[in-house]
Amino acid sequence: MSELGSLKMHQVVLDGTDIRGLAEFYRSLLGLVYGPGDEPPEAGQHDERGQDWLVLRTPDGAPRLAFQHVDRLTRPTWPDGPVPQQLHLDLSVTSIEDLEAQHERVLSLGGRLLSDNKQGPDEPFRVYADPAGHPFCVFVA
């Protein structure tokens, strides 16, 4: 048996003060679905799960994103400030046209542009922050 045995990545967990809002951002952006029991409650109902832990996955159950509630979160100030990015996600598209289309989607969902390297000599990419300030990249692969 290899050194890894049955070890595999299960999910990436992002901290947030509004994990329902953060989960909704990534659900909409990536076409993910909530894990069983993590769906938003009916309008007007208390969102108990949204105060603790939520899981998103692909419709077929592949690798996931999870969100853990914290009372306080120091937003990364990277690339211009003293607080590092701490973690970031790399997302890809297949063309510059797709990069442009996703740019508009990210902004409409509440993300913000941190850096535009669309004209880069290697692989064009843009760096964004999600609503909680976590950086992520969208690049052309």
Side-chain angles (χ1 to χ4, degrees):
M1 182 176 250
S2 77
E3 280 184 44
L4 293 178
S6 62
L7 183 66
K8 61 183 178 179
M9 187 171 82
H10 183 68
Q11 61 196 8
V12 173
V13 181
L14 298 174
D15 288 350
T17 57
D18 173 14
I19 61 170
R20 179 65 68 192
L22 195 55
E24 279 296 301
F25 173 82
Y26 283 107
R27 185 191 63 76
S28 296
L29 182 66
L30 300 173
L32 299 174
V33 298
Y34 282 101
D38 286 346
E39 300 85 359
E42 298 285 328
Q45 297 294 314
H46 177 67
D47 188 6
E48 186 173 333
R49 298 287 297 177
Q51 303 302 309
D52 182 37
W53 179 268
L54 297 170
V55 174
L56 292 176
R57 61 185 184 182
T58 61
D60 63 358
R64 312 163 201 198
L65 286 175
F67 306 89
Q68 176 174 269
H69 180 267
V70 294
D71 291 329
R72 210 180 78 228
L73 182 70
T74 301
R75 287 180 176 256
T77 56
W78 176 91
D80 298 320
V83 181
Q85 61 181 321
Q86 302 159 18
L87 170 139
H88 77 270
L89 300 175
D90 280 342
L91 309 175
S92 65
V93 294
T94 58
S95 69
I96 290 289
E97 293 77 24
D98 287 344
L99 184 64
E100 286 300 321
Q102 293 306 319
H103 173 76
E104 295 305 321
R105 282 192 66 235
V106 168
L107 298 180
S108 73
L109 291 169
R112 64 186 165 88
L113 182 66
L114 296 178
S115 178
D116 187 343
N117 298 293
K118 187 178 89 172
Q119 304 302 326
D122 296 322
E123 60 187 19
F125 69 97
R126 287 184 169 141
V127 182
Y128 299 92
D130 67 23
H134 302 108
F136 66 95
C137 299
V138 179
F139 63 94
V140 178

